[in-house]
Amino acid sequence: MTRSGARRILITGGTSGLGLAVAKKLARHHKLLLSGRKSQIEMAGALPRGAGYIVADQRDPERSTEVLLRGIRDFGWDSLDNAVLNAGVGFAPADGLDGPEAIRETLDVNLVAAMLQAQALFPLLAKSRGTLTFIGSVAHTGSATFPAYAASKAGLHGLARSLRSEWGGRVSVQVLHPGPTKTDMHAKAGHDPGRMRALFLEPGDVAAMMASAIASRRSPVTLSWLRYLSGGAYLGRRL
Ligand SMILES: NC(=O)c1ccc[n+]([C@@H]2O[C@H](COP(=O)([O-])OP(=O)(O)OC[C@H]3O[C@@H](n4cnc5c(N)ncnc54)[C@H](OP(=O)(O)O)[C@@H]3O)[C@@H](O)[C@H]2O)c1
């Protein structure tokens, strides 16, 4: 953390949806480095002011982790206060069964890459007794619409619990489980939630819940209507 209290925060999947929403929320007070699969040109003008950007496609977990580490170093950072591993994909199979390619991409992007990133980022986070945050989903308990996606999020839940005990407080580890949110994820997944979408949370509200949950360092945390309506997102600790 700098003398001004500004944290060094890495957010993967920072090009759209929740990642970009939380980045915009934190950019006023903190230093941000985002990553995603979009090119630097595609992201020009879309990043919060002062934020850096690393192109790292997580479909190749090993390479994208190397690229991410190099990008952090090239940005001049030798430590991190927070890493928010948020990048994720899902596919809604028409007949309820994911094909091999969808299974591979979902697990590589959501779980294998996050696992390798967690290992690789540990020394940087340990330097500042930082916090590693996995973005899971309420689907981690199972979903008929997104089976491989649900499995990947269940994996993140187990991984967070394991690292939390293995790392023994040298780095705080948490997993946050957002409820359904009005981002483009469902359209990208080929899923039309129909009228149910009207009940989904707004990305800005979930981003507020994420920031508050990250500051609390608690885990696991479900980011739901209940927390939103009870004011938990706004009255909790601030990052
Ligand atoms: N929306 C919901 O209802 C909901 C509910 C629970 C949990 N979540 C979780 O919240 C997180 C953010 O999702 P979102 O709703 O904000 O969806 P989103 O708008 O699609 O954002 C997902 C992010 O991950 C990135 N990404 C996808 N594939 C990637 C790859 N191969 N390499 C690197 N980055 C990749 C996306 O990049 P592009 O911009 O290039 O697509 C985007 O930045 C995900 O982990 C998701 O599972 C979402």
Side-chain angles (χ1 to χ4, degrees):
M1 203 181 304
T2 64
R3 273 193 202 154
S4 65
R7 289 165 175 263
R8 291 175 168 181
I9 302 176
L10 171 76
I11 303 173
T12 70
T15 55
S16 60
L18 294 177
L20 189 56
V22 81
K24 285 181 176 164
K25 195 160 278 301
L26 299 177
R28 269 207 0 227
H29 302 292
H30 302 291
K31 297 178 184 299
L32 297 178
L33 192 45
L34 311 182
S35 75
R37 60 184 165 178
K38 291 199 171 92
S39 68
Q40 296 279 2
I41 293 173
E42 284 174 285
M43 288 308 291
L47 295 172
R49 224 173 59 186
Y53 179 68
I54 303 166
V55 181
D57 189 332
Q58 296 187 190
R59 280 173 294 188
D60 185 338
E62 286 91 341
R63 191 174 141 59
S64 64
T65 302
E66 287 165 17
V67 169
L68 197 64
L69 268 190
R70 200 177 323 127
I72 296 169
R73 209 175 44 230
D74 291 349
F75 198 59
W77 287 3
D78 60 1
S79 68
L80 281 175
D81 295 297
N82 293 85
V84 183
L85 306 187
N86 160 80
V89 282
F91 300 97
D95 52 6
L97 282 178
D98 286 295
E101 282 178 18
I103 292 173
R104 172 70 66 193
E105 181 169 342
T106 306
L107 293 180
D108 277 348
V109 173
N110 297 5
L111 183 59
V112 182
M115 215 159 169
L116 295 179
Q117 288 165 359
Q119 285 179 345
L121 297 176
F122 174 78
L124 299 180
L125 288 161
K127 277 190 188 174
S128 56
R129 295 187 83 80
T131 301
L132 177 71
T133 304
F134 295 105
I135 302 304
S137 166
V138 289
H140 77 279
T141 56
S143 157
T145 317
F146 295 100
Y149 175 80
S152 73
K153 296 300 185 179
L156 284 184
H157 186 88
L159 176 64
R161 288 172 65 94
S162 307
L163 293 181
R164 205 170 158 85
S165 105
E166 185 185 329
W167 290 356
R170 286 171 291 165
V171 170
S172 301
V173 184
Q174 59 175 187
V175 58
L176 310 183
H177 295 306
T181 309
K182 289 176 189 160
T183 65
D184 293 340
M185 192 188 87
H186 301 269
K188 290 179 198 170
H191 173 62
D192 177 6
R195 288 186 190 165
M196 289 299 288
R197 189 172 165 91
L199 298 175
F200 286 10
L201 290 157
E202 296 295 334
D205 294 330
V206 179
M209 292 186 220
M210 286 167 73
S212 157
I214 291 168
S216 79
R217 296 188 172 195
R218 287 192 304 114
S219 180
V221 180
T222 298
L223 309 176
S224 67
W225 272 110
L226 197 60
R227 262 180 79 74
Y228 173 48
L229 292 174
S230 67
Y234 300 99
L235 303 176
R237 297 178 62 166
R238 289 188 57 184
L239 195 62

